[in-house]
Amino acid sequence: MVKHWFWYDWVMLFLRLLISASIILTMVDVQGELTLPLWGAISWAIIAFSVPWFCLLLNFKYYLVTEMILSGGISVYLTHLFPDAYLTLLMPAFMIAANSAHKSYRWSAPMTILVVPIMISIVSRHNTLWVMIVHTGLAYAIGFAFHLLVVNHRQNEIIRDQNTVLEQYVSQIERVTILEERNRLSKDLHDTIGHSNTSIIMGLETLRLELPTTAGQDKLDSLLQLARKSIDEIRGYVHQMESPQDRLPLVESLQQLIEEFQVNSNINVRFRSFGEESVLPRQAEMTFYRCLQESLTNAVRHGQATEISVSLQFELRQTRLEVQDNGRGAEHLQEGFGLKAMKERAYNLQGQISVYSALGEGTIVTCTLPRQVEMPEEVIRLLLVDDQPFIRESLQTLLERQGDLHVVGIAEDGQQAVELCEQVHPQVVLMDLDMPVRDGISATQMIKQRWPDIRVLILTTFQDKQKALEVLQSGADGYLLKSMEPRELAETIRLVHRGGAIIAHDMSIKLFEDLEQFQKKPEAQFVETKTSDDYGLTTRELEILQMVAQGLRYKTIASKLYLSDGTVRNYASSVYLKLDVRNREEAVQKAVEIGLL
């Protein structure tokens, strides 16, 4: 029942108090002519003042009915005693019109202007019915004009509030966009000049033994010094792109966003943080920042909330942000661009966005991301496989700068990789594709068959869609390009080590574009009966499809086939892609239709 009052609410309360007080004073003056006891008449007037007012706080329809019955009843009663007392109906008529909403004037106007005056004319000695109708109609018209003024004022308030929120939102988008552009430029520097200089340094180091003369050694040292100075300058430029403002911890960054939002929107936002704050990757911090930004804006712009509660919880295996508002909510929430963007960001980090909204109960937005940083004491054992020496040495140098990554072996081809897996027992293998003796795909298949717990991450130079499909079929846990930024590569290794699977963003776009074109082909081309060979399903993929059709979970399938959970998911994803479906239900249905099951 508590709401935010504006000037017109106080005007209506003042008018109601004024008319009720005047009626009570009139009853006291003419108490000798009243047919009711004075206390009964005064009680009637008090009820006519309070009951409609309380009903107005609940529902305007309740108000209109009670106002007509109670206030109109007083007017009928007083006019029965005093013919000129019909004027007591003018103020209720004004308030009825002022509080009509949602086209209720279609029935409230006839009731107020015609029905009540006719009743007064019947029970009283007043013969000029048309005079009462004109006076009451004028009062109702003035009240309706006041209603239009109030509606216009409310709309202007909403527009001003939303404009303020949008201005604040636009300023934040501009700042975040600039930050993301800095990160992109920083990534480009890392991926191009930085990576090339690192490879050059490693390549020059390998030439040291081939230059026996002192002059050659001195020239090599000068070239190395120049290359290292160049890469140091690049690092300096990259670090200068990040202002101290951009390097704020996550909690301080969210608090600053909330403070700016409160100043611009005049909305009370409570923020609480639980658990010990841990260092998160920049992508995770940006995801939480954008999620809070979008949730705050939607709470005011769409939900018309007046209070918002924000909680950030650091847990052992995940970090969770929850934004809850007291807005009007919605029965069927439509996903706009902002919500889809939030879900895409969280999905790219193996997280999720959940939204609960109910009419009259507000909205709750929860963003959950897994911990992107492993505990320092857990060291991930790596095996590097590449036929280019300077690439192997560069990767080793870059990755061992991370405290939790340790290179336990280096192989020149797929055959050596298989042999080293048996000797050093790595946890993650970084595998090149095109190598002599044995390529990366066949080596991956052998490693996955003999050691299903070893995670294999394919690193290649070119974007080849056919190769990407073969990589997924071989059981690899990821497909990435060598040009990615070192910190992103380290985070991806940690993610794959924990059981995740990932494919390069550009390559996934190309694959889904092909899938979309595949879906647009005429159905007439697929009328004939297909077999597993027609769809390119391997024996292992068909076996997993049969188990999926039995309702088994991926973990159960993995235990039955002695494979890792990530490998089974990769096989399932490959099956869905080949069958042109999106989930297990559609895969089973199509497999039955075409006779595979």
Side-chain angles (χ1 to χ4, degrees):
M1 295 176 64
V2 178
K3 71 171 187 175
H4 185 63
W5 278 45
F6 296 94
W7 62 269
Y8 44 81
D9 295 306
W10 293 105
V11 169
M12 298 298 291
L13 179 61
F14 173 76
L15 293 177
R16 179 170 291 277
L17 285 171
L18 182 64
I19 188 64
S20 299
S22 62
I23 290 176
I24 292 174
L25 291 176
T26 302
M27 288 179 176
V28 172
D29 290 339
V30 297
Q31 56 181 314
E33 301 183 30
L34 297 176
T35 58
L36 291 175
L38 180 61
W39 63 268
I42 293 177
S43 299
W44 190 355
I46 294 176
I47 292 174
F49 162 78
S50 57
V51 172
W53 184 72
F54 280 110
C55 290
L56 181 60
L57 299 178
L58 296 174
N59 188 286
F60 74 95
K61 294 181 180 179
Y62 299 156
Y63 161 77
L64 295 177
V65 174
T66 54
E67 188 76 86
M68 292 178 187
I69 294 175
L70 296 175
S71 299
I74 289 181
S75 298
V76 171
Y77 172 71
L78 293 178
T79 308
H80 173 69
L81 301 177
F82 313 101
D84 293 334
Y86 78 90
L87 297 174
T88 57
L89 181 62
L90 300 184
M91 191 58 69
F94 171 86
M95 290 186 291
I96 288 173
N99 292 302
S100 294
H102 301 295
K103 299 182 180 181
S104 59
Y105 57 85
R106 293 181 177 179
W107 59 270
S108 65
M111 291 291 296
T112 306
I113 299 174
L114 297 176
V115 176
V116 176
I118 291 174
M119 293 178 61
I120 292 176
S121 178
I122 292 174
V123 302
S124 67
R125 299 186 298 274
H126 206 290
N127 296 324
T128 55
L129 175 61
W130 67 272
V131 175
M132 287 189 293
I133 292 177
V134 170
H135 289 173
T136 307
L138 288 174
Y140 190 93
I142 296 174
F144 190 75
F146 183 79
H147 165 73
L148 295 178
L149 177 64
V150 169
V151 170
N152 183 65
H153 180 270
R154 289 175 178 171
Q155 290 178 347
N156 289 337
E157 285 289 332
I158 293 174
I159 292 174
R160 281 194 293 268
D161 291 342
Q162 291 190 351
N163 185 60
T164 302
V165 173
L166 287 175
E167 287 179 353
Q168 185 248 359
Y169 187 62
V170 168
S171 65
Q172 291 175 0
I173 287 179
E174 181 180 4
R175 186 175 62 188
V176 173
T177 303
I178 293 175
L179 175 60
E180 290 185 340
E181 183 64 15
R182 290 178 187 164
N183 291 336
R184 188 190 67 81
L185 292 175
S186 173
K187 180 178 180 298
D188 289 342
L189 287 175
H190 268 294
D191 293 347
T192 55
I193 304 177
H195 183 74
S196 299
N197 280 6
T198 302
S199 301
I200 291 173
I201 291 173
M202 293 303 169
L204 291 175
E205 287 287 356
T206 60
L207 296 176
R208 186 178 296 276
L209 298 178
E210 300 179 12
L211 297 175
T213 63
T214 305
Q217 293 283 348
D218 293 340
K219 189 173 183 178
L220 179 61
D221 290 337
S222 63
L223 290 175
L224 284 171
Q225 183 179 2
L226 179 61
R228 290 192 172 99
K229 181 181 178 181
S230 175
I231 199 170
D232 289 338
E233 291 177 352
I234 293 172
R235 292 193 185 100
Y237 294 144
V238 169
H239 292 312
Q240 288 175 7
M241 286 184 177
E242 298 183 0
S243 65
Q245 184 83 5
D246 300 332
R247 294 195 298 267
L248 286 176
L250 177 60
V251 173
E252 294 184 21
S253 178
L254 298 184
Q255 286 176 337
Q256 185 181 71
L257 172 62
I258 290 173
E259 290 174 0
E260 293 178 0
F261 179 82
Q262 290 184 115
V263 170
N264 292 303
S265 64
N266 295 322
I267 302 296
N268 182 30
V269 182
R270 294 177 298 169
F271 176 76
R272 295 178 297 173
S273 177
F274 303 96
E276 183 178 356
E277 182 177 4
S278 58
V279 178
L280 299 178
R282 188 60 184 167
Q283 290 181 339
E285 292 182 352
M286 187 64 63
T287 299
F288 283 126
Y289 189 92
R290 278 292 183 91
C291 179
L292 177 59
Q293 183 185 58
E294 187 68 25
S295 300
L296 293 176
T297 304
N298 289 339
V300 177
R301 185 172 56 185
H302 302 301
Q304 298 181 1
T306 57
E307 288 189 1
I308 303 174
S309 177
V310 180
S311 63
L312 179 66
Q313 186 161 350
F314 296 93
E315 301 176 0
L316 181 61
R317 296 184 179 274
Q318 64 184 14
T319 306
R320 185 171 70 252
L321 175 70
E322 183 176 286
V323 184
Q324 181 175 3
D325 64 66
N326 66 343
R328 59 187 180 184
E331 291 184 356
H332 304 288
L333 191 65
Q334 296 182 350
E335 292 189 5
F337 174 78
L339 184 57
K340 290 181 179 178
M342 284 195 300
K343 289 188 174 182
E344 182 179 356
R345 283 177 174 272
Y347 179 77
N348 290 337
L349 297 176
Q350 306 297 313
Q352 63 178 359
I353 298 284
S354 61
V355 182
Y356 169 79
S357 183
L359 197 62
E361 297 183 9
T363 303
I364 302 176
V365 179
T366 304
C367 176
T368 305
L369 298 181
R371 291 287 293 271
Q372 299 291 316
V373 180
E374 296 287 340
M375 301 301 290
E377 59 269 15
E378 183 179 359
V379 177
I380 303 176
R381 299 166 56 85
L382 303 178
L383 173 62
L384 306 182
V385 186
D386 199 295
D387 59 336
Q388 298 294 327
F390 63 90
I391 293 294
R392 297 195 301 267
E393 295 170 0
S394 300
L395 284 174
Q396 182 177 10
T397 303
L398 294 172
L399 294 176
E400 287 196 335
R401 292 175 182 174
Q402 308 289 329
D404 58 340
L405 302 181
H406 177 55
V407 178
V408 296
I410 296 178
E412 298 180 0
D413 53 59
Q415 185 61 40
Q416 286 188 10
V418 175
E419 297 172 356
L420 283 176
C421 282
E422 187 172 8
Q423 298 174 11
V424 300
H425 305 292
Q427 294 171 303
V428 179
V429 178
L430 272 64
M431 181 83 69
D432 189 21
L433 275 181
D434 299 321
M435 296 179 293
V437 184
R438 183 180 294 277
D439 62 10
I441 294 179
S442 61
T444 299
Q445 291 175 339
M446 291 190 63
I447 292 174
K448 281 298 185 180
Q449 290 175 359
R450 298 179 61 180
W451 303 283
D453 292 335
I454 295 180
R455 316 290 292 174
V456 180
L457 185 60
I458 299 295
L459 287 180
T460 185
T461 304
F462 302 102
Q463 297 180 355
D464 190 330
K465 291 177 287 187
Q466 185 60 36
K467 288 288 186 181
L469 290 175
E470 294 179 8
V471 165
L472 294 176
Q473 295 170 9
S474 69
D477 302 287
Y479 181 90
L480 298 174
L481 301 177
K482 293 179 181 178
S483 59
M484 69 186 310
E485 193 261 336
R487 191 179 71 169
E488 185 179 355
L489 174 60
E491 293 173 0
T492 303
I493 293 174
R494 299 185 185 104
L495 176 64
V496 170
H497 172 63
R498 290 195 302 271
I502 193 167
I503 187 170
H505 180 65
D506 295 340
M507 181 56 62
S508 65
I509 292 177
K510 292 179 180 295
L511 291 176
F512 280 107
E513 285 178 352
D514 287 352
L515 178 60
E516 185 177 357
Q517 295 175 0
F518 182 75
Q519 291 174 335
K520 294 180 180 178
K521 291 182 179 180
E523 295 182 359
Q525 299 179 14
F526 305 97
V527 174
E528 59 203 34
T529 304
K530 299 289 183 178
T531 65
S532 60
D533 292 336
D534 295 322
Y535 285 92
L537 295 181
T538 64
T539 303
R540 176 69 79 182
E541 289 171 346
L542 186 59
E543 183 180 13
I544 290 178
L545 176 60
Q546 292 172 344
M547 291 186 175
V548 168
Q550 297 172 7
L552 299 180
R553 299 172 61 87
Y554 291 140
K555 290 185 178 180
T556 306
I557 298 174
S559 63
K560 287 180 175 292
L561 299 180
Y562 302 99
L563 300 175
S564 67
D565 183 43
T567 302
V568 173
R569 291 180 183 274
N570 286 335
Y571 276 122
S573 299
S574 178
V575 170
Y576 299 160
L577 187 63
K578 291 178 179 180
L579 293 181
D580 185 23
V581 296
R582 294 173 295 181
N583 50 50
R584 63 166 62 202
E585 289 79 10
E586 293 182 4
V588 173
Q589 182 179 358
K590 185 165 185 178
V592 173
E593 292 175 355
I594 63 179
L596 292 181
L597 296 178

